[in-house]
Amino acid sequence: MPYFGSEETVKELKRALSNPNVHADRLRYKNYISKVIRMKDLDSWAQSEVLTFLLRYRPRSDDQLFDILSLLDSFLQSAHAHVTVATLRLFLQLASAHPAVQADALLRTSAPLLATCGAASRELRFAGLCHVQQVMRSQPGLFGTHYKRFFCGYSEPTYIKFRKMEILVELVNDENVSLVLEELRSYCTDVSPELAQAAIAAIGRIARTYSEKCLDILTGLLALKQDHITSAVIQTFRDLVWFCPQSTAAVCQTVEACVDSPQDSEGKQALLWLLGEHGDQISSAPYVMEGYIDGLKTELSSAVKMELLTASVKMFLCRPAETQDMLGRLLHYCIEEESDVCVRDRALLCYRLLQRGVEETRKVVTGPKSDPSMSVLTGRQEEPISQWTATFNTLGPLSGRDLCPQTAVISAADQPSSSAEKELLPDEEISLSLGSPLSHETFEKMWLDLEILHRQTLGSPRPRTAPDTLQAALQLVKIQTLAFTPGDTVPWKAYIYTRSTGTLILAELLQGDQQAPGSDESLVVSVKQQPVNQHAIRGFVSILKSVLQTLNVDSS
Amino acid sequence: MISQIFILSSKGDHLIYKDFRGEASKDSINVFYERVTALSGDQTPVVMAHKDLHFIHVKQGGLYWVASTKTNPSPFTIIEFLNRLAALTKDYCGSLSEKSVRMNFALIYELLDEMVDFGYIQTTSTDILKNFIQTEAVSSKPFSLFDLSNVGLFGAETQQSKVAPSVAASRPIMSSRGEQGGKNEIFVDVIERLSVVIGSKGVLMKSDIQGEIRIKCFLPTSSEMRIGLNEELSIGKSQLKGYSSAVRVDECRFHQAVKLDEFDTFRILKVCPSQGEQTVMQYQLCDELPCAPPFQLFPSVQKDYVNRVLIFLKLRCDLPPKSTALNVSITVPVPKGSVSMSQELSSPDQTAELQPKNKALLWEIPRFPGGAQLSALFKVDVPGLSSASLLEVGPVSMSFELAKQTCSGLQIRFLRLAPSQTGLSQRWVRYVTHSDSYTIRI
């Protein structure tokens, strides 16, 4: 660079020039297209820079869109992985209104993406695997035939093997299940205990759909009598029984036959939970529990002791005669001699509950025996592509689940305020979050204080499903239900709230009210918000609409 | 936008540090090293975050190559850039190791100056960089022309003229101002990685070949080169299988600079190679092995006395008789708690040892001729043996190198340089197959 001054000045100048908001020319179509046409002359690094830059544009018409896509078509098959993936992200984002185009782009890049999963460089392989996982959230069948590529190699580092196992679990279907299970079975005896435990957990997840085969494998693993394997298997059994209640009988039989007990606290907790919850089906349960109670003085972990207390009380409720004596000893020890305060308090709680009577105890202690939310959604929903496009080809998928995509650092003074900026940036995804729950009084007060910012007819009637289903479905998209009128009362009202990007949204759903126009056939939503953010309201209403439509389709 | 680039040795020594944007301070190096050494087994090391700074690193040659950034860039770009930086360092310095990086730090700083400007990647092509790099490389092994002597005793032409030692390709590429020493040579490697899983009854369950054709060019001026592959090479899966033993690959990808106009008809690639190493073509063949898998194992595992496991392994090499497998090492997992082992091997150059930490026994065979069959008997003492422990004698993994052959059958028929090349240039071709992951279930 020619000398403009000191090095500091030059650095400041460079930093200012690279700030995207300082760029003088607006991103007009003809500038955009000229950049696209010149891309063939650039080398691969410049190409991926330009592709990232081009993400900012939103085409105004379908003609423009298809012009751009056809010019960029050849880059989907580029020899460089980073150019291919950047082009794919651009396609997915630009064509968000044309799912067929998106699906076609994904199909054509599936081969290059699979090739990165087998690259010589391990880090590149890892990046490829994370992105394959993302793609599979929307198109699970795309990589189904290539499941063998995701078998773990012997010398691969553990982080790659973990990702491959996660992908294998999602790829399982009727044809390949036995081969995949055989492969996972061979990882269970691996040297590294974390890998073995991850493999066993993977088999457990497959077991929710293919119970018998997996149970056979897991039972065989118990015979090896290795501590970390036994502990992992018992934890898997606990999860399996929770999610898949029809396998309870088989699991109980296996647990009964297994003489070994786990040595680590996670395994012990899992075993105790199983014994307490399903003690009526395991005949030797009280005797196993007695063993734990007798060894209480040497038990170090308080979590195990608390689990033991809960499990003993549950067992007492179903088999009082055998358990009564040991329960007494347990409570005596925990209240009189235990030093950990939490355990002592739990024991006191159990003791006082039992004093109240068996019925009271039963109401408090027994809960659902299997996961209640499974009745709403069966099987994995395919997510719409737009949910993960924002994090595709960024560091998000590689660095763990809870990384939020960070935007470039722009100082507060540079924040644009003109409405013209809105044309440049594509619509941000509205993300809702639950936050802390509102109490009824707070909601009522806020509702009466604020004014209605937005009222809209939703175009679909109230879903004819049970209120619990509606509540659970809204909960799934992070909208909290405060209250609704019961059954088929007319007018039917519901009050819901949610939070989004720093603003709190309250809404009322109304149907059948004579005073509100147009509410006979469909729901009317009235939205109040603090602080005001019209963008968030739009996003909220569209999410609400999609949930109601889904429920209507399901129930009709 | 890359904020900093640094290279650390595996012990954490700062070898290279370059800050491009002044956004983060130098102690981010120590932060990174603490984080990467404190990782537990299941955490992912490739991308790590510390407050608002992200670290992306690759591990090559025993060194950590790290880029830090405050934005959220594409991981593929950064990882490919770091790999390319390591490859360029290897080209310029001859080999990739801590010693060569230490000796050539000035050269590497100069490379980084030209490659990245204010955090934006400018270029990584050797041709363009060649014009800007002034520093000479210092190599750890002085390059001696005697290593490549072609003239035998009394002037007779010996075997040496046909074969070059494998270290011949690992010398630094000459800078444009270098002296006129060194030969004009070009090395073409066809390298395949074999990934095979054989099930418990000898059934082939999975087989994958990933191959690439790499050129290492020491010619001072780049001229066009034509590489001819097998004429009967066919690409893509086809339902019909003819009677010919055609060479097949499922798909292939080419370097940007390769011209493919003669590829469809005559299977000829045209490329102007720049100095240094580049991958011209990458191909893969999945689920189909044109030849038999190179090794077949016939194991038998039994319980001997009360506390002993007898493992009898018969290993047969199915390669053609003239070829050999080198550095074959076989790893057999043994039950936990194995204390000692006695062995009976068939020849003195093989070695076997028990590794209790890895719960495995390692059997090494330096040379394994094709068509031969080797057997070994291992008696492992395991106190507290139960019949279920026999299940722990798990899948056998092998690693080996097959020299002078490719499993897919891809061959380079000819290698022609454009006649404008002054002086004689030597062309060397090498075929190697490595085992990526070769697993045999018992």
Side-chain angles (χ1 to χ4, degrees):
Chain A
M1 274 202 79
Y3 285 106
F4 287 132
S6 72
E7 203 176 301
E8 288 310 309
T9 322
V10 173
K11 267 202 172 147
E12 279 303 319
L13 188 59
K14 282 185 180 175
R15 193 177 299 155
L17 283 176
S18 64
N19 186 335
N21 295 309
V22 170
H23 286 150
D25 67 15
R26 279 179 36 172
L27 205 49
R28 281 191 222 127
Y29 181 61
K30 51 181 202 239
N31 296 337
Y32 189 94
I33 275 289
S34 65
K35 284 189 175 58
V36 170
I37 291 173
R38 282 214 313 268
M39 262 181 56
K40 280 195 280 288
D41 306 325
L42 304 169
D43 76 339
S44 64
W45 308 107
Q47 279 173 359
S48 74
E49 275 298 327
V50 173
L51 284 167
T52 324
F53 176 71
L54 296 179
L55 281 171
R56 294 167 46 197
Y57 182 72
R58 212 161 27 118
R60 291 167 211 255
S61 72
D62 274 356
D63 283 340
Q64 279 190 2
L65 170 69
F66 288 113
D67 274 343
I68 299 172
L69 292 183
S70 56
L71 279 171
L72 288 174
D73 205 58
S74 55
F75 294 105
L76 272 182
Q77 312 283 355
S78 158
H80 295 268
H82 56 269
V83 175
T84 312
V85 179
T87 318
L88 177 61
R89 182 180 179 189
L90 190 61
F91 265 64
L92 290 177
Q93 190 158 312
L94 286 181
S96 48
H98 301 267
V101 176
Q102 288 180 323
D104 180 62
L106 280 172
L107 186 62
R108 286 166 60 199
T109 43
S110 64
L113 210 52
L114 271 179
T116 45
C117 294
S121 154
R122 299 190 297 199
E123 290 82 10
L124 203 58
R125 226 183 282 181
F126 181 66
L129 286 172
C130 297
H131 285 82
V132 163
Q133 251 190 321
Q134 269 208 318
V135 171
M136 276 177 52
R137 278 158 65 178
S138 292
Q139 302 231 342
L142 199 58
F143 300 105
T145 40
H146 302 279
Y147 66 94
K148 285 195 180 166
R149 304 273 202 105
F150 300 106
F151 284 178
C152 299
Y154 174 64
S155 55
E156 282 175 343
T158 26
Y159 60 93
I160 292 188
K161 286 190 189 170
F162 283 153
R163 281 301 163 115
K164 281 192 170 177
M165 281 199 278
E166 283 174 25
I167 296 180
L168 274 177
V169 167
E170 290 161 29
L171 278 179
V172 162
N173 58 36
D174 290 334
E175 292 142 9
N176 57 28
V177 64
S178 23
L179 282 170
V180 172
L181 281 177
E182 198 181 318
E183 187 70 23
L184 285 172
R185 157 81 184 77
S186 68
Y187 303 150
C188 294
T189 45
D190 196 272
V191 177
S192 141
E194 291 109 5
L195 197 67
Q197 286 170 339
I200 294 174
I203 297 185
R205 277 203 296 283
I206 301 181
R208 294 180 203 174
T209 350
Y210 297 96
S211 315
E212 310 87 41
K213 294 193 180 67
C214 300
L215 275 173
D216 287 334
I217 296 182
L218 292 170
T219 321
L221 285 173
L222 277 179
L224 291 175
K225 296 201 199 309
Q226 288 215 10
D227 284 336
H228 63 275
I229 295 185
T230 314
S231 161
V233 170
I234 298 210
Q235 290 175 50
T236 315
F237 279 155
R238 175 195 57 191
D239 294 335
L240 185 58
V241 161
W242 177 250
F243 283 109
C244 191
Q246 51 265 40
S247 55
T248 318
V251 167
C252 292
Q253 262 185 323
T254 317
V255 172
E256 177 141 21
C258 152
V259 185
D260 244 5
S261 39
Q263 297 299 318
D264 63 319
S265 73
E266 299 282 324
K268 284 187 198 169
Q269 284 177 55
L271 183 62
L272 287 171
W273 185 89
L274 275 171
L275 292 176
E277 195 67 30
H278 300 283
D280 44 349
Q281 295 185 30
I282 307 176
S283 61
S284 57
Y287 307 103
V288 179
M289 209 168 274
E290 182 155 22
Y292 279 102
I293 296 178
D294 289 335
L296 203 55
K297 287 196 183 64
T298 51
E299 180 59 57
L300 293 169
S301 155
S302 356
V304 173
K305 291 186 208 171
M306 298 221 272
E307 191 66 49
L308 184 58
L309 279 167
T310 322
S312 312
V313 174
K314 285 188 204 163
M315 180 156 293
F316 175 69
L317 293 174
C318 60
R319 289 158 83 154
E322 298 150 308
T323 329
Q324 183 173 359
D325 185 48
M326 62 173 118
L327 184 60
R329 277 185 284 141
L330 174 66
L331 288 174
H332 179 85
Y333 176 81
C334 288
I335 299 177
E336 302 292 325
E337 296 175 41
E338 176 59 45
S339 51
D340 186 280
V341 182
C342 294
V343 177
R344 195 168 156 275
D345 280 350
R346 177 78 69 98
L348 277 172
L349 170 69
C350 295
Y351 181 66
R352 288 171 189 151
L353 260 184
L354 287 166
Q355 272 188 326
R356 290 283 210 126
V358 175
E359 275 319 303
E360 291 288 331
T361 319
R362 207 181 286 273
K363 266 196 264 185
V364 172
V365 170
T366 46
K369 292 226 175 194
S370 62
D371 190 4
S373 77
M374 291 311 280
S375 55
V376 180
L377 296 169
T378 46
R380 186 110 174 275
Q381 292 284 63
E382 284 176 13
E383 294 176 19
I385 294 181
S386 50
Q387 269 203 305
W388 48 265
T389 324
T391 52
F392 193 71
N393 202 23
T394 64
L395 296 177
L398 269 75
S399 63
R401 314 288 168 214
D402 39 19
L403 180 77
C404 305
Q406 289 175 335
T407 50
V409 172
I410 304 176
S411 62
D414 300 332
Q415 284 288 1
S417 52
S418 64
S419 57
E421 262 296 320
K422 289 224 187 82
E423 288 174 356
L424 294 176
L425 300 168
D427 260 334
E428 289 159 19
E429 307 289 333
I430 284 296
S431 57
L432 304 177
S433 56
L434 281 174
S436 52
L438 283 180
S439 71
H440 284 71
E441 295 86 10
T442 328
F443 188 95
E444 210 175 299
K445 186 167 175 310
M446 289 183 80
W447 187 260
L448 295 171
D449 284 340
L450 296 170
E451 302 201 344
I452 293 184
L453 287 172
H454 180 83
R455 175 171 270 158
Q456 180 178 347
T457 316
L458 283 177
S460 50
R462 170 173 94 87
R464 299 251 149 244
T465 50
D468 285 334
T469 320
L470 177 62
Q471 183 167 6
L474 286 173
Q475 183 102 343
L476 217 60
V477 291
K478 310 246 195 301
I479 301 179
Q480 194 85 292
T481 319
L482 188 79
F484 39 68
T485 54
D488 289 313
T489 53
V490 170
W492 183 84
K493 279 191 196 178
Y495 288 96
I496 56 182
Y497 65 92
T498 182
R499 283 181 177 76
S500 158
T501 58
T503 168
L504 175 62
I505 303 179
L506 312 172
E508 174 200 57
L509 297 170
L510 182 63
Q511 175 161 5
D513 189 357
Q514 270 94 13
Q515 289 155 3
S519 74
D520 294 331
E521 293 302 317
S522 79
L523 281 171
V524 173
V525 63
S526 315
V527 183
K528 296 187 182 176
Q529 192 184 31
Q530 181 185 43
V532 177
N533 184 342
Q534 288 288 349
H535 191 44
I537 292 185
R538 278 203 294 276
F540 165 70
V541 170
S542 69
I543 293 180
L544 188 60
K545 262 191 184 171
S546 55
V547 170
L548 291 172
Q549 273 167 0
T550 317
L551 284 174
N552 270 324
V553 165
D554 280 344
S555 60
S556 62
Chain B
M1 278 82 252
I2 302 176
S3 182
Q4 303 160 315
I5 290 187
F6 43 93
I7 305 179
L8 300 177
S9 77
S10 48
K11 293 193 205 53
D13 306 326
H14 301 190
L15 298 176
I16 303 273
Y17 171 76
K18 189 137 177 107
D19 188 346
F20 292 105
R21 288 169 78 97
E23 289 170 335
S25 66
K26 200 163 175 188
D27 67 339
S28 50
I29 308 185
N30 297 327
V31 168
F32 167 79
Y33 188 68
E34 277 167 21
R35 291 283 299 268
V36 87
T37 43
L39 282 178
S40 69
D42 55 347
Q43 286 174 306
T44 58
V46 180
V47 174
M48 295 190 292
H50 173 72
K51 297 189 197 153
D52 53 353
L53 194 64
H54 297 288
F55 296 108
I56 305 153
H57 81 276
V58 303
K59 207 162 176 208
Q60 282 217 23
L63 306 168
Y64 292 104
W65 304 72
V66 191
S68 74
T69 168
K70 282 207 179 221
T71 59
N72 200 353
S74 152
F76 290 96
T77 315
I78 309 278
I79 293 175
E80 285 203 18
F81 171 72
L82 288 171
N83 283 332
R84 182 78 190 122
L85 176 65
L88 269 175
T89 313
K90 185 168 163 204
D91 280 345
Y92 271 91
C93 307
S95 62
L96 192 61
S97 67
E98 186 181 334
K99 194 167 172 200
S100 60
V101 169
R102 272 187 203 275
M103 291 201 299
N104 291 298
F105 66 92
L107 174 61
I108 298 178
Y109 275 115
E110 206 177 342
L111 273 174
L112 280 174
D113 252 338
E114 297 301 332
M115 279 169 47
V116 182
D117 185 22
F118 199 57
Y120 293 93
I121 304 171
Q122 303 296 311
T123 172
T124 54
S125 136
T126 333
D127 287 330
I128 302 178
L129 287 172
K130 192 167 64 171
N131 302 325
F132 298 109
I133 304 293
Q134 317 272 345
T135 326
E136 286 287 325
V138 179
S139 78
S140 50
K141 278 193 289 275
F143 174 64
S144 155
L145 286 174
F146 284 113
D147 287 335
L148 287 188
S149 146
N150 272 344
V151 179
L153 209 52
F154 305 135
E157 207 178 73
T158 61
Q159 178 73 6
Q160 266 190 310
S161 63
K162 307 263 178 40
V163 173
S166 61
V167 299
S170 64
R171 57 173 225 241
I173 57 180
M174 294 302 185
S175 68
S176 51
R177 286 152 219 259
E179 78 268 8
Q180 291 306 108
K183 299 201 165 185
N184 294 345
E185 288 175 310
I186 187 157
F187 295 87
V188 179
D189 292 334
V190 181
I191 302 176
E192 290 194 347
R193 286 179 295 132
L194 191 60
S195 179
V196 164
V197 172
I198 300 184
S200 48
K201 297 187 185 48
V203 171
L204 185 63
M205 287 183 55
K206 164 186 137 149
S207 64
D208 266 347
I209 300 179
Q210 307 259 17
E212 38 185 47
I213 301 182
R214 257 187 241 167
I215 297 184
K216 197 147 187 184
C217 174
F218 292 107
L219 303 173
T221 52
S222 65
S223 56
E224 193 178 78
M225 189 169 90
R226 295 167 86 220
I227 307 175
L229 305 173
N230 311 51
E231 261 187 20
E232 67 270 17
L233 176 68
S234 69
I235 303 178
K237 279 205 179 312
S238 62
Q239 299 299 95
L240 311 159
K241 291 209 176 93
Y243 286 105
S244 65
S245 56
V247 178
R248 271 202 53 235
V249 296
D250 276 353
E251 53 167 5
C252 47
R253 294 180 300 286
F254 301 94
H255 191 263
Q256 225 177 341
V258 174
K259 298 201 211 21
L260 293 171
D261 37 338
E262 284 185 36
F263 188 70
D264 286 329
T265 36
F266 301 113
R267 300 291 185 226
I268 296 179
L269 304 171
K270 287 204 282 217
V271 64
C272 292
S274 45
Q275 280 208 335
E277 190 173 313
Q278 59 229 257
T279 304
V280 165
M281 172 175 161
Q282 288 169 313
Y283 57 92
Q284 59 204 43
L285 182 56
C286 303
D287 283 339
E288 233 190 79
L289 210 53
C291 53
F295 292 99
Q296 284 276 8
L297 182 74
F298 304 97
S300 109
V301 180
Q302 288 161 16
K303 201 167 136 189
D304 197 9
Y305 297 118
V306 180
N307 284 335
R308 220 146 70 144
V309 180
L310 267 180
I311 305 176
F312 180 68
L313 297 173
K314 194 158 73 166
L315 190 61
R316 190 183 72 201
C317 179
D318 284 329
L319 297 170
K322 275 193 297 203
S323 37
T324 356
L326 301 168
N327 298 333
V328 182
S329 89
I330 299 133
T331 311
V332 184
V334 290
K336 190 169 168 188
S338 319
V339 290
S340 65
M341 178 187 83
S342 71
Q343 71 236 33
E344 280 172 30
L345 300 169
S346 47
S347 70
D349 56 338
Q350 300 171 27
T351 53
E353 62 165 350
L354 180 69
Q355 294 177 336
K357 212 162 56 104
N358 300 341
K359 242 177 48 154
L361 77 83
L362 187 64
W363 177 24
E364 288 184 0
I365 307 170
R367 284 179 63 88
F368 201 143
Q373 202 165 286
L374 291 177
S375 57
L377 177 64
F378 300 101
K379 298 178 190 159
V380 183
D381 293 310
V382 189
L385 182 67
S386 67
S387 54
S389 301
L390 291 181
L391 290 172
E392 290 183 54
V393 183
V396 173
S397 342
M398 293 181 60
S399 86
F400 51 85
E401 185 181 307
L402 305 176
K404 299 203 215 98
Q405 56 184 301
T406 54
C407 282
S408 64
L410 192 78
Q411 301 270 329
I412 297 198
R413 269 182 303 136
F414 62 82
L415 204 65
R416 252 170 242 148
L417 289 164
S420 63
Q421 193 57 38
T422 52
L424 266 181
S425 18
Q426 297 248 328
R427 289 154 281 158
W428 303 94
V429 178
R430 178 169 72 154
Y431 300 99
V432 165
T433 304
H434 291 294
S435 66
D436 200 9
S437 146
Y438 197 95
T439 316
I440 306 175
R441 304 249 167 84
I442 295 191

